[in-house]
Each structure stands twice: as structure tokens, then as C-alpha cells.
Amino acid sequence: MTKSPKTIKITPRDPLVARDGRPFSEGKRMKSLDWIRPSVVIGSLRTLVGKLNQKGFNKNTIKELKDISITGPFPYVNNKLYFPTPLDMVLKEEGTQNSEGEKSTYTSIHQLKPGKYNEGEGSTLPRYLSPAMLYPKEQFKPLKRPAFCSKNQMTQWLLTKDIKTSELNKLLQYNKKDGSFFNNNNVINFPKKEERIHLKICPESGSAEEGKLFSSIGLDMNIHDNNGDILPLEMLAKLDTDIPQNELFKIISKLNHIHPCGGERRLVKWNICNNLEKIWECPKEIQEAIKREKKLRMVLATPAIFENGWLPGWLTIKEEHETKCIGTIPGTEIEVQLVSVVNERWQPLSGWSYERNKPKPISRMVPAGSVYFFKITNSVSDEDIANMWLQSVCDDTQLKKDGFGLSLWGIW
């Protein structure tokens, strides 16, 4: 049994359609999500590998295909890997005026982290959770966050304990004209959505046939850099295959094909890269900081599905002298106590099961970018830290293989 991590580059040739699960038929609009789900990408990849295997989709083949595990996909632009912007990052628009009366704007960063209630304050949070408070304390209307941060930018954020002393505030700029962010391409927004109108023309009359009209919305996988130049927005994913070096392994090792991904059978190129393995490694400065600190922060890099809603199944609520939520991080021996959580409302996940030939039941996902704050209650080893970087924290084994619940780690 050989475990062989590989990096696959996914280059869209057409705007991708990431369906949102709403009903679609003739005369209706096909909507698209802001970003494609991990399950769509790994499903398309397994179908491609199964077709290239040319032995049909029998039970044994399906079992081997479902064992293929994926990390990602994440945006990859101009040789930089991007992760979802964490929800504990809060942006504020600031204004300045020079001596000549000219006004300009810039963006300052605030952070959410566990705090305490003032006298007379309270909430309906569980007793084991502290409220996530804005720091520095100030009242303002937050700006919309950029969708993704580069790995370098994310590393700086995960090492930030006090935003007042962080260099991040000097880096982020805000383009008020169109609401976009730019910072030497260290942050990017979601792809722009492109709408296409489809119809069937009657050859006899030359007019549209009755009811043969619909529209689709796809993600335009091109972005503009600071100079206005167009850059292709590709995707990177890491494959971990626990399968022996059989036919499927050989197919994956030589993957260089064009195959549909997402709705409307839009085409992408799937290509194995052999020189990008280090891009998935945990930064050394984060490993050193986690060993030094006892306050641990987990950021979800992909949406997660847990047994208990927003609460991972590997955390248990203990009622002793005080109520605590404690557990051991999956794949490690690190014991933690949950302190606070920053997340948004749940997102739905559904789809069609070709294995069972019926719709999949709807699941509730914790959004990517959600942040969990912990206290470490035992010692931490280098091996444990390396093992938990970009590993899934979902409770279900198949969801882990499908790329849900991937986690980034830092301090607070």
C-alpha cells in the first residue's frame, strides 16, 4: 500500500457552472454559486479516471474511485495559492485629507477574538463559549471582505495576535471605484459571473421554438491584476491515494486530459504537476508559533459538515465544576478546549448520486472561512502540527476524502 501525494492543476477552458441546487428546466434561469464545491471537482475527477480505466463502473471500481482523496480545490493565480478569507478579519474604510484638501481612502483591519462581557451584558451563547469581540473596539459598518487571501497573506494573519502591531494594515488597499481589493495580487475576489442565453431555433420558421429558451450563469475564470492585465484563474488540488500502484494509480500519475467539470459539461484541463509539492506544507513560522503558544486558532479552508451542526463531533461537552467543550484534534494527540467561534449561517449541499441514481439528501455545511478558537491543554509535537495542516476535521470518512472540512491553523 503506497500513499502518493500529487498536485493536480485544473485549468478551465470555459466559464464554470457551479449549480446552487435550485430547480432548473426550460424557461428558467440556471444560477451559480460564487465558488465551486470540493465534491463537484472530486466527482468529475473520479468520473474521468473511471472512464480512462475502460473497465466500467462496477462495485469494486466505484469503491476504489471513492478512495481517491482530494485537498482543495483552491484558486491558483500567477504562481500563488489562495485560501478563503477568514471571518474573524473585519475591514473598515478610513478617510484622510492632505494639506491641499484632497481626500483619499484606505482600509484598516480589525479582528474578532474571544472577549468578556461588560457588567450588565450577556447573550444566548452556550456557557462554554466566550463572545467574539471586535478589536480594537469601535463602531462602524464593515466592508465586504475579499474572497481569497494568498498563502503568504493568510500566514501573516494566522500569526497575528495583535492587529495594532501587524504589518497587514499597511498592505491592504481598497478600490472604492468598483469595490474590489488589490494588494500586489495577495487578495482576490470571487470570479465574475457571466450570463448566457440559450435557445433552439426552428429551421422552418427561423424563430425560437416554444419553451426552448433558458439562461445559465457561469464563473468567468479570469481576473485583472493591478495593471489591468488579464490573468487565468486556475485551481490546484492535492491528491492522496491510498490505493496500490494499480491501473488507477498509473492513470492518475499521467493525467493530462480535458474533461467536463460542473454544470452544462463545461470543459477544464486536468494536469498532474510534479514541482508544486512544497506549496502544501505548513509554514515553519506557524509551526514554531503553535509550539510556543497555548492559544490555537482553526480556520476552515473548505466548507465542513459535522455531526452536531456547527460543533465538530470530536468535541465533547463536559459538565463538572464548570461547563467545558473539550476534545482531541483528529489525526493528532493535541487536546484542546473550545473557547469561541466565528461563523455565518449554514450553507446547503445536495446533488445527484450516480451510484444510487437518486438525489443526495441535503446537508448543512459550516461555511469556509469560519474560525474556531481553542486553548491547548497538553504538549504539542512537530509531527502533530504537520499532520493537522490542511487536513480534514469532518467526522465522516467519505466527506474527508471528498475534500470537506480542510483546516488551517494559527495562534490568537
Side-chain angles (χ1 to χ4, degrees):
M1 190 74 69
T2 302
K3 187 171 184 178
S4 303
K6 292 185 176 297
T7 299
I8 185 167
K9 183 187 290 184
I10 305 161
T11 307
R13 294 172 60 95
D14 305 313
L16 293 182
V17 175
R19 293 281 308 278
D20 63 356
R22 277 182 273 193
F24 171 70
S25 60
E26 292 173 351
K28 294 186 177 179
R29 296 177 187 271
M30 180 188 290
K31 303 291 185 180
S32 177
L33 300 167
D34 293 326
W35 186 246
I36 199 161
R37 304 285 195 219
S39 52
V40 174
V41 174
I42 187 64
S44 299
L45 176 67
R46 288 168 179 158
T47 302
L48 169 61
V49 175
K51 288 178 179 175
L52 294 174
N53 193 35
Q54 297 183 346
K55 292 183 179 177
F57 289 86
N58 54 49
K59 286 187 177 180
N60 289 335
T61 303
I62 290 175
K63 183 177 181 302
E64 289 180 347
L65 289 171
K66 290 178 72 175
D67 282 339
I68 300 174
S69 177
I70 190 175
T71 298
F74 299 112
Y76 183 66
V77 182
N78 207 16
N79 299 319
K80 288 184 177 179
L81 187 67
Y82 290 81
F83 297 116
T85 303
L87 299 181
D88 60 341
M89 179 186 289
V90 183
L91 304 180
K92 178 188 177 187
E93 185 181 33
E94 305 273 12
T96 60
Q97 187 171 352
N98 61 21
S99 57
E100 297 176 352
E102 296 176 341
K103 296 181 179 179
S104 61
T105 60
Y106 65 97
T107 303
S108 65
I109 304 178
H110 294 239
Q111 61 184 148
L112 292 169
K113 58 183 184 179
K116 294 181 179 179
Y117 297 113
N118 294 320
E119 187 175 352
E121 294 178 345
S123 73
T124 57
L125 284 174
R127 284 182 292 176
Y128 53 83
L129 284 184
S130 298
M133 300 288 199
L134 188 65
Y135 180 81
K137 290 184 178 179
E138 199 174 342
Q139 290 190 353
F140 59 90
K141 182 179 180 181
L143 292 173
K144 187 177 180 180
R145 302 178 189 85
F148 300 101
C149 299
S150 68
K151 182 181 178 183
N152 179 52
Q153 193 92 356
M154 178 65 81
T155 300
Q156 292 185 54
W157 180 251
L158 292 172
L159 291 170
T160 299
K161 292 175 64 178
D162 187 346
I163 191 62
K164 286 184 176 179
T165 59
S166 171
E167 293 294 316
L168 283 172
N169 258 328
K170 300 177 183 177
L171 296 175
L172 196 66
Q173 302 174 49
Y174 177 60
N175 186 346
K176 192 173 182 180
K177 184 177 179 181
D178 61 1
S180 64
F181 290 86
F182 55 96
N183 170 24
N184 296 324
N185 295 325
N186 275 328
V187 291
I188 58 174
N189 284 325
F190 287 119
K192 290 185 177 178
K193 293 182 178 177
E194 180 203 85
E195 183 171 9
R196 293 183 179 181
I197 306 296
H198 309 259
L199 75 160
K200 182 179 180 182
I201 299 294
C202 176
E204 290 78 19
S205 65
S207 59
E209 286 190 19
E210 184 70 23
K212 303 295 183 182
L213 174 67
F214 68 96
S215 69
S216 63
I217 297 178
L219 303 178
D220 181 5
M221 304 299 274
N222 293 291
I223 64 169
H224 293 81
D225 66 3
N226 294 349
N227 301 320
D229 297 329
I230 297 177
L231 298 173
L233 198 167
E234 300 174 302
M235 296 182 284
L236 279 192
K238 186 181 74 171
L239 295 172
D240 295 321
T241 55
D242 284 327
I243 57 178
Q245 297 191 18
N246 56 12
E247 291 301 320
L248 295 185
F249 179 83
K250 294 177 183 177
I251 291 170
I252 295 171
S253 301
K254 300 177 182 177
L255 204 61
N256 186 14
H257 295 78
I258 293 176
H259 188 262
C261 181
E264 289 292 290
R265 296 181 60 80
R266 300 287 172 85
L267 296 176
V268 303
K269 183 177 182 182
W270 307 77
N271 185 33
I272 285 288
C273 301
N274 296 317
N275 56 351
L276 293 173
E277 306 309 323
K278 290 188 176 180
I279 205 168
W280 304 105
E281 294 178 356
C282 177
K284 286 186 178 179
E285 52 266 45
I286 285 187
Q287 294 188 44
E288 293 168 358
I290 291 176
K291 283 192 70 175
R292 188 175 60 247
E293 304 287 338
K294 286 292 184 182
K295 295 180 177 178
L296 189 64
R297 182 164 36 144
M298 179 180 81
V299 178
L300 292 179
T302 55
I305 301 173
F306 298 124
E307 292 177 358
N308 305 314
W310 62 268
L311 186 64
W314 43 273
L315 290 172
T316 306
I317 300 171
K318 294 285 186 181
E319 297 275 0
E320 295 178 349
H321 301 294
E322 59 177 323
T323 306
K324 294 181 179 179
C325 187
I326 58 176
T328 304
I329 296 173
T332 74
E333 295 181 355
I334 301 176
E335 297 175 1
V336 292
Q337 177 185 343
L338 181 64
V339 178
S340 188
V341 178
V342 177
N343 64 4
E344 293 180 341
R345 66 174 300 173
W346 60 273
Q347 297 173 342
L349 175 70
S350 184
W352 183 265
S353 171
Y354 286 98
E355 185 181 6
R356 297 181 174 85
N357 198 29
K358 65 178 184 180
K360 296 178 181 177
I362 290 180
S363 301
R364 295 187 175 194
M365 300 189 299
V366 182
S370 298
V371 184
Y372 291 70
F373 297 89
F374 298 99
K375 285 182 182 176
I376 299 174
T377 57
N378 65 347
S379 59
V380 178
S381 68
D382 290 333
E383 185 181 2
D384 280 341
I385 299 172
N387 285 342
M388 64 186 189
W389 180 258
L390 275 178
Q391 294 300 308
S392 176
V393 292
C394 285
D395 304 315
D396 182 82
T397 303
Q398 190 58 52
L399 289 173
K400 291 182 178 180
K401 293 178 180 177
D402 292 348
F404 289 100
L406 302 178
S407 54
L408 304 168
W409 300 86
I411 58 174
W412 57 278

